[in-house]
Amino acid sequence: MTPESIHRSASSPVSASARRAPRIAIALGVVALLAAVALIARGSAEDSDKPGAHQAATPGSQSADPAHSNAAGHTGQGGPEQDRPEPPQFNGTLCWEDLERFNDTVTLETFREWAAPLLAVKDPLVREYLKGRLAELIGDDEGRASEVLGWAREAPPAEFKLLMAGLRGSQVLPKVAAQLTSLGLDESLDLGRRAGFLDELQRLPQLEPATLEKLAHFAKDATSGEAGWVAARAIGRVMKEDFTRTGNAKPYLDKLLTIGAESLDEQVRYLALEMEMHAGAPLDTQATARLAKILATEGSDEVRQVVAHDLSFAQDKKQALDIYAKAFATEKDLCVRWALFRFAARAAGKDALPVMAEMALTDPRFQGNYQDFERLYASGIVDFNRIWFSLPTDDPHGCLHRHE
């Protein structure tokens, strides 16, 4: 995503939602049964040659005895090993009876082993069912969630995604925020897995100060890679939700500005500063001054364009216009100048016209742009969105796709 693709409108909210698969129902059973018929039509011989494929169990032949299962889904303390039911050998064609039998007898203790042959078939409908069933088994029990996170430390990729999706669909995510953070910062794990743990934090309603501090420190680390990027995104997305609910974005914004100023990774800096655009939180004079410093020292023209957008949320309009004017005078990049020019109007509306006129005198390439803005404001339009969409073109200087 480039700054220009976001700047096409005054706000670009990021929405993130996680679907929670419902418990298996008659509708899913019908679809699964139809899928089974299609798979059977391909020939049972092909299935028998696949690794891990199993013959369908005859009724009662290998199904687990409910009497030996914990039907409530609790992890048992462990009796004699021989008392545990053997995992059912589910049919590779995923007939409805297999899923029904799984649904009736699986517990959290047996879920991982019993789900393996179903997951291996790679049927998207069955994966959705497994996610929902695991979420039901976890419920709002912190102990069960911790056990699932323990499995996820060493689970293969496909199973890791299933485990995290089940956790996400449960009601317990806020209770294990500290454990997710610890796993995400665990240097003994590979960065991809750490990113997977940190990714779940973005779905929390808020971040505790200690967690926020740890994530910001990690995001600035030059070795954090993709996981650092994910940590910065988590801070930004929780900021947006917390700000919507409480009206307070300051703790998050402070960390994002620090990341934007200090990270050695350009992509992480860009993202950290971009998140303010999505939240639209008003900037006090201190935050505005910090952005001015970043604007004056940042080496990436793309990041400077993001900062120009951020400054349009400044509460002190005069302070913002002074920053725009000073930055424009020394800026060499055309597209950054275009960002400074138009976002001055977003920051202060019609009051920005004198500053924009001076910019057009400094760089004659903006004379036509100034005339367009002046004409639209003179017509009585005051809303920046209407001004923007009333311009003859949204890309007069060829900046929109320059970096794509």
Side-chain angles (χ1 to χ4, degrees):
M1 180 185 297
T2 68
E4 296 299 334
S5 65
I6 299 166
H7 300 165
R8 296 177 73 100
S9 61
S11 62
S12 306
V14 173
S15 60
S17 62
R19 295 187 309 159
R20 180 179 182 276
R23 186 167 179 171
I24 190 164
I26 297 300
L28 178 57
V30 172
V31 175
L33 184 58
L34 292 175
V37 172
L39 287 171
I40 292 171
R42 298 177 189 172
S44 58
E46 178 182 347
D47 289 327
S48 65
D49 292 335
K50 295 179 181 178
H54 301 282
Q55 294 300 316
T58 56
S61 63
Q62 295 189 42
S63 61
D65 183 357
H68 290 108
S69 302
N70 186 339
H74 291 278
T75 302
Q77 298 300 312
E81 184 67 25
Q82 59 271 24
D83 290 343
R84 291 184 57 191
E86 290 295 324
Q89 302 300 302
F90 295 111
N91 193 320
T93 58
L94 294 176
C95 65
W96 162 245
E97 288 79 5
D98 284 341
L99 289 178
E100 184 177 44
R101 183 156 49 90
F102 179 96
N103 185 68
D104 289 343
T105 58
V106 71
T107 68
L108 186 67
E109 183 182 22
T110 61
F111 179 87
R112 191 180 186 190
E113 189 176 11
W114 290 17
L118 296 176
L119 184 62
V121 178
K122 301 180 180 180
D123 185 305
L125 290 175
V126 175
R127 282 199 303 268
E128 286 301 308
Y129 160 70
L130 292 174
K131 293 174 187 177
R133 192 68 180 95
L134 178 58
E136 291 176 340
L137 292 172
I138 295 171
D140 62 353
D141 191 303
E142 183 177 352
R144 298 176 188 174
S146 294
E147 183 169 1
V148 172
L149 285 174
W151 298 343
R153 283 184 60 94
E154 45 80 32
E159 186 186 16
F160 178 85
K161 292 179 180 179
L162 170 63
L163 297 176
M164 300 311 293
L167 182 70
R168 187 184 315 133
S170 72
Q171 306 163 26
V172 77
L173 202 60
K175 295 182 180 180
V176 292
Q179 190 173 353
L180 283 167
T181 304
S182 296
L183 288 167
L185 303 181
D186 188 343
E187 295 182 357
S188 68
L189 301 176
D190 64 88
L191 284 175
R193 191 173 300 266
R194 294 165 70 181
F197 288 122
L198 294 174
D199 189 53
E200 299 306 318
L201 295 176
Q202 67 176 300
R203 298 171 175 86
L204 297 176
Q206 64 180 22
L207 293 174
E208 297 299 325
T211 299
L212 190 55
E213 179 67 34
K214 290 177 181 178
L215 291 177
H217 180 77
F218 177 67
K220 293 189 301 178
D221 190 331
T223 64
S224 64
E226 179 189 358
W229 190 91
V230 171
R233 183 179 64 179
I235 295 173
R237 288 189 170 173
V238 176
M239 175 181 73
K240 182 178 184 297
E241 296 303 317
D242 206 357
F243 174 66
T244 300
R245 188 178 67 257
T246 67
N248 181 25
K250 186 173 177 56
Y252 306 94
L253 184 59
D254 176 68
K255 298 304 180 185
L256 290 172
L257 291 178
T258 299
I259 297 168
E262 299 179 10
S263 173
L264 298 179
D265 188 320
E266 178 183 334
Q267 297 301 319
V268 174
R269 295 197 309 275
Y270 181 100
L271 178 70
L273 296 168
E274 182 190 36
M275 299 313 294
E276 161 59 8
M277 293 161 45
H278 300 308
L283 303 172
D284 60 20
T285 56
Q286 182 181 14
T288 303
R290 293 180 68 183
L291 282 170
K293 185 176 181 180
I294 295 174
L295 187 60
T297 57
E298 172 60 49
S300 165
D301 59 317
E302 290 192 352
V303 176
R304 294 199 302 279
Q305 291 179 65
V306 174
V307 176
H309 191 153
D310 287 348
L311 284 167
S312 67
F313 296 103
Q315 292 175 309
D316 188 329
K317 305 305 181 185
K318 183 180 183 303
Q319 181 187 19
L321 288 177
D322 289 343
I323 295 170
Y324 283 125
K326 182 178 179 180
F328 191 94
T330 58
E331 180 60 57
K332 303 301 181 185
D333 185 87
L334 172 62
C335 291
V336 178
R337 278 190 162 184
W338 171 230
L340 295 167
F341 182 89
R342 71 185 186 278
F343 286 120
R346 190 181 194 278
K350 189 176 182 179
D351 293 340
L353 285 176
V355 172
M356 297 167 73
E358 187 64 31
M359 291 175 175
L361 289 174
T362 301
D363 190 337
R365 291 174 294 184
F366 291 89
Q367 288 284 353
N369 303 129
Y370 173 75
Q371 293 168 7
D372 289 333
F373 276 90
E374 184 182 42
R375 171 179 52 80
L376 290 169
Y377 279 121
S379 72
I381 301 175
V382 295
D383 179 71
F384 180 78
N385 280 351
R386 290 186 62 202
I387 292 286
W388 177 249
F389 289 113
S390 298
L391 293 173
T393 174
D394 62 356
D395 191 23
H397 299 288
C399 298
L400 189 58
H401 303 293
R402 190 181 68 166
H403 299 289
E404 292 184 353

